[in-house]
């Protein structure tokens, strides 16, 4: 299980050379709450800080696509000014990857 997670993470964290950069727009943010098991007590779970994951749209050949990162983009607060570069495969435009700009 851990090995497959490493392979999955490595696959989606790299951007192949044949991918092209496309213009994109952050449409909205999904709010995520992280729960963590508390050990040694009977209180159940504790909540960790909330984070926000952007949902992004991009167009390729006049077709609109939606992008939700397969590798987390965890932001402490919704930020529509955040620069997120989206790269796609011209052969399969639904295969998209992201890179956070600095």
């Amino acid at each position: 299980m851990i090995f497959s997670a490493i392979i999955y993470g490595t696959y989606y964290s790299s951007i192949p050379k044949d991918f092209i950069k496309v213009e994109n727009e952050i449409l909205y943010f999904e709010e995520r709450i992280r729960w963590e098991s508390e050990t040694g007590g009977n209180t159940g779970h504790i909540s960790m800080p909330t984070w926000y994951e952007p949902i992004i749209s991009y167009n390729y050949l006049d077709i609109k696509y939606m992008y939700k990162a397969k590798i987390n983009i965890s932001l402490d607060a919704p930020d529509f000014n955040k620069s997120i570069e989206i790269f796609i495969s011209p052969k399969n435009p639904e295969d998209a990857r992201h890179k956070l700009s600095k």
Side-chain angles (χ1 to χ4, degrees):
M1 181 99 160
I2 293 173
F3 181 70
S4 63
I6 291 170
I7 297 293
Y8 185 83
T10 303
Y11 180 79
Y12 284 107
S13 64
S14 66
I15 299 171
K17 291 182 188 259
D18 64 333
F19 276 39
I20 59 172
K21 184 177 173 180
V22 291
E23 295 293 320
N24 67 80
E25 173 187 10
I26 297 175
L27 298 176
Y28 61 92
F29 289 87
E30 287 186 350
E31 182 178 46
R32 302 286 186 201
I33 300 172
R34 184 175 303 149
W35 293 91
E36 190 172 283
S37 293
E38 186 174 350
T39 58
N42 58 3
T43 58
H45 299 280
I46 55 174
S47 176
M48 302 303 283
T50 298
W51 81 92
Y52 300 87
E53 190 156 326
I55 305 303
I56 300 167
S57 73
Y58 61 92
N59 288 305
Y60 183 67
L61 300 177
D62 294 325
I63 299 173
K64 187 174 186 174
Y65 297 89
M66 300 283 286
Y67 177 75
K68 180 177 178 182
K70 292 174 179 62
I71 302 296
N72 264 354
I73 303 174
S74 301
L75 304 175
D76 293 335
D79 183 358
F80 284 96
N81 295 317
K82 187 76 173 171
S83 181
I84 302 170
E85 296 176 313
I86 301 294
F87 297 85
I88 64 160
S89 167
K91 296 176 186 172
N92 179 13
E94 291 181 340
D95 187 0
R97 317 282 170 87
H98 74 274
K99 184 188 323 183
L100 292 174
S101 299
K102 296 182 180 188

